[in-house]
Amino acid sequence: MSLQRIRTIAVALAVGAGALVLTPPASAQVQAPPAPAVTKVTMSPASPVVLFDSTAKVTFTISTKDAQKASMVFTPPGVSTQPIIEAKRVGRNTFKLEHSVGVVGTWNYTATATNGDKTSEPVKGTFDVKKALETKIVRFDANPDRVSKGDRVRLSGQLRAGDDGYGGQEVALTFRSRGSDDFRKVTTTKTNRNGWFSAVVRPWRTGEWRAEFGANAEAKASVSDSDGVRVRSRHRDTKIVGFEAFPEPVTKGDRLRFKGTLVADGRHGLRGENVTIQFRAIASREWKDVTDDRTSRHGRFWATATAEQSGWWRAVYDGDRRNKASVSGPDFVRVNQPVTKADTRVIGFNAYPEPAKRGRHLKFWGLLQVDDNGTWKGYEGKVDLYFKSRRSDEYRLVTSVTSDDDGRVFAKARAWTSGHWRFVYAGDDKTNGDTSRSDYVRVRR
């Protein structure tokens, strides 16, 4: 081996030995763990914790930094030492634990975090525990306790927490109808600062009412005693509208007609109800029943009576167990004494020529007379010409003419078919009417 190669190997061995001497031990390469810390502690529900039962569960959330574990110690009022409770990790830096509390007063807690053999500075805090308020609803009343269907009923009472009125709270007003097992909510109201409440309802059925307080975060629920309300069928208001007695004036002995409509609550016609028509004479103070009628499905009624003397007429409805009675306004009718009319006659009626040719004019002649104290005299008046064909049972009006001062009547009309002709005088305010004899005329083509 050459001297140069021996020197090279010697240098390499020296360098290797130096490297072994300079390398630090393995323990010197491990870094010390960081110190843990508790950054925040929150609780749910928040303080104060309200006990509705003997105990309540509270969830604590511990926010940490660089912690492997977290724990808490709780100290109830009057107790000096308590066990350490370890929290459960729920996130990288978050731990939770649930703890039951049942002693009323101020509680203390201490939260710590650990990382290896290092422990954080403790975070201390307090929270209060108190019992839920006991509530009750007193002096609950439904007034009045007997009403007609749809009338107003006032419900009132007071909500108390302990011995004081409990203000600003919502109270439900519930109803249970007769024969039912369940109360159902009808409306809600709020208590005033002294705990009093009231509301107005319109019951349609008989049953029981009560008030219910549904509890809140600090107070327990409560229910009042029930109070019954009896609901009877409501007597509806009725009215007779459009009542009229006609014609007016009327002649004694003629027929008077009456009409009107019976309605309920100002809207609906009352069907099948009896309405009486009454009369009071001018010199009398007493109304007398004259006739009656039963209303139609729309509440309308019609009736007739004989006119005897002047006076007032009205319609009267007596009502029943569901509807109130009502009376129409009076309607005055003047009754005139009948005028004696003179008799008349239409004589000498004749239709000619006969037979007649189709489409040609026929001529008609007659005489209208009036009885003037036993003497027949000619009379001027309107006379109608009527025709009835041989194939018909009814006369129809063809034309009208007026007789002259001597009562002579003359008319013309075209003949189209065979049949009967006649004059008819209908009468006027001084005379009665009359009809002439008929005259048959045969018409040929």
Side-chain angles (χ1 to χ4, degrees):
M1 180 180 299
S2 66
L3 179 60
Q4 182 64 34
R5 184 172 182 183
I6 292 172
R7 287 178 179 174
T8 302
I9 295 172
V11 171
L13 291 173
V15 172
L20 292 173
V21 172
L22 294 175
T23 302
S27 59
Q29 295 179 346
V30 177
Q31 294 182 354
V38 174
T39 58
K40 184 171 64 173
V41 177
T42 59
M43 57 184 292
S44 177
S47 180
V49 178
V50 181
L51 298 178
F52 286 88
D53 295 316
S54 58
T55 62
K57 289 185 177 181
V58 183
T59 300
F60 292 86
T61 302
I62 308 167
S63 300
T64 66
K65 181 180 179 182
D66 299 326
Q68 291 179 337
K69 296 181 180 181
S71 60
M72 295 184 73
V73 174
F74 297 97
T75 306
V79 179
S80 58
T81 60
Q82 284 289 301
I84 298 174
I85 304 174
E86 187 172 334
K88 182 180 179 180
R89 183 188 289 273
V90 294
R92 181 179 178 183
N93 295 307
T94 306
F95 298 82
K96 282 191 177 182
L97 66 83
E98 191 177 78
H99 188 63
S100 294
V101 297
V103 179
V104 174
T106 300
W107 287 58
N108 294 281
Y109 67 80
T110 301
T112 56
T114 61
N115 187 356
D117 59 355
K118 293 184 179 183
T119 303
S120 70
E121 288 293 328
V123 173
K124 296 183 178 182
T126 62
F127 61 91
D128 293 322
V129 177
K130 66 178 184 179
K131 287 186 177 181
L133 296 173
E134 297 286 344
T135 67
K136 58 182 176 180
I137 298 175
V138 298
R139 299 180 67 178
F140 178 74
D141 180 53
N143 184 46
D145 56 9
R146 289 176 178 264
V147 294
S148 294
K149 187 180 294 185
D151 286 348
R152 294 171 178 261
V153 172
R154 181 171 293 277
L155 307 176
S156 60
Q158 186 188 29
L159 174 64
R160 291 183 180 176
D163 296 328
D164 300 322
Y166 197 18
Q169 304 304 311
E170 185 174 277
V171 175
L173 300 170
T174 60
F175 173 73
R176 179 176 67 186
S177 62
R178 184 171 56 189
S180 175
D181 295 330
D182 300 321
F183 279 88
R184 60 177 181 84
K185 184 171 75 173
V186 176
T187 187
T188 59
T189 186
K190 276 196 172 183
T191 60
N192 65 15
R193 63 181 182 178
N194 296 318
W196 290 98
F197 62 87
S198 68
V200 173
V201 295
R202 294 178 181 271
W204 293 92
R205 287 177 290 179
T206 297
E208 295 178 306
W209 293 85
R210 74 181 186 188
E212 300 177 9
F213 172 60
N216 57 24
E218 65 176 9
K220 295 182 179 180
S222 56
V223 179
S224 72
D225 293 333
S226 61
D227 192 10
V229 175
R230 183 177 179 182
V231 179
R232 54 182 177 266
S233 296
R234 179 172 174 261
H235 279 68
R236 294 182 293 181
D237 292 328
T238 66
K239 189 176 182 180
I240 297 174
V241 297
F243 175 72
E244 181 183 5
F246 62 97
E248 199 280 319
V250 65
T251 301
K252 182 178 180 179
D254 288 350
R255 301 297 290 176
L256 266 176
R257 292 176 174 82
F258 312 96
K259 67 177 182 179
T261 304
L262 175 64
V263 298
D265 293 333
R267 303 187 304 274
H268 310 295
L270 276 180
R271 177 181 184 176
E273 301 293 333
N274 192 72
V275 176
T276 302
I277 308 300
Q278 294 182 336
F279 173 74
R280 179 169 70 86
I282 293 178
S284 175
R285 294 184 178 180
E286 180 182 359
W287 289 94
K288 295 183 178 180
D289 295 348
V290 177
T291 185
D292 60 13
D293 187 35
R294 193 165 293 276
T295 58
S296 69
R297 64 176 181 172
H298 299 298
R300 301 188 183 99
F301 60 87
W302 295 80
T304 62
T306 302
E308 297 292 343
Q309 55 183 319
S310 299
W312 289 270
W313 296 87
R314 72 179 186 184
V316 177
Y317 171 59
D318 291 334
D320 56 23
R321 62 184 181 86
R322 295 182 57 196
N323 304 296
K324 295 180 181 179
S326 56
V327 180
S328 74
D331 190 12
F332 183 80
V333 175
R334 187 176 76 253
V335 176
N336 297 324
Q337 294 299 316
V339 177
T340 301
K341 294 183 178 182
D343 289 333
T344 60
R345 65 183 184 182
V346 180
I347 59 176
F349 177 72
N350 184 36
Y352 60 94
E354 197 242 338
K357 190 171 183 180
R358 178 180 173 82
R360 296 294 180 86
H361 278 98
L362 276 174
K363 297 179 180 179
F364 307 93
W365 187 90
L367 184 65
L368 173 62
Q369 293 182 326
V370 62
D371 183 2
D372 184 10
N373 295 322
T375 302
W376 289 101
K377 295 182 178 180
Y379 188 72
E380 182 181 356
K382 178 184 174 183
V383 179
D384 299 320
L385 176 66
Y386 281 85
F387 171 71
K388 181 180 73 172
S389 73
R390 63 180 181 178
R391 298 183 181 85
S392 175
D393 294 329
E394 297 181 0
Y395 279 91
R396 61 178 180 82
L397 177 66
V398 177
T399 188
S400 298
V401 294
T402 301
S403 61
D404 61 18
D405 292 342
D406 296 323
R408 291 174 296 201
V409 185
F410 177 77
K412 291 171 56 178
R414 291 184 184 276
W416 297 102
T417 184
S418 301
H420 294 84
W421 299 83
R422 70 183 183 186
F423 276 148
V424 175
Y425 172 61
D428 55 22
D429 57 352
K430 296 180 181 180
T431 60
N432 296 316
D434 190 44
T435 301
S436 72
R437 72 174 186 87
S438 63
D439 191 7
Y440 181 82
V441 175
R442 183 170 63 85
V443 176
R444 55 185 175 81
R445 294 183 180 277

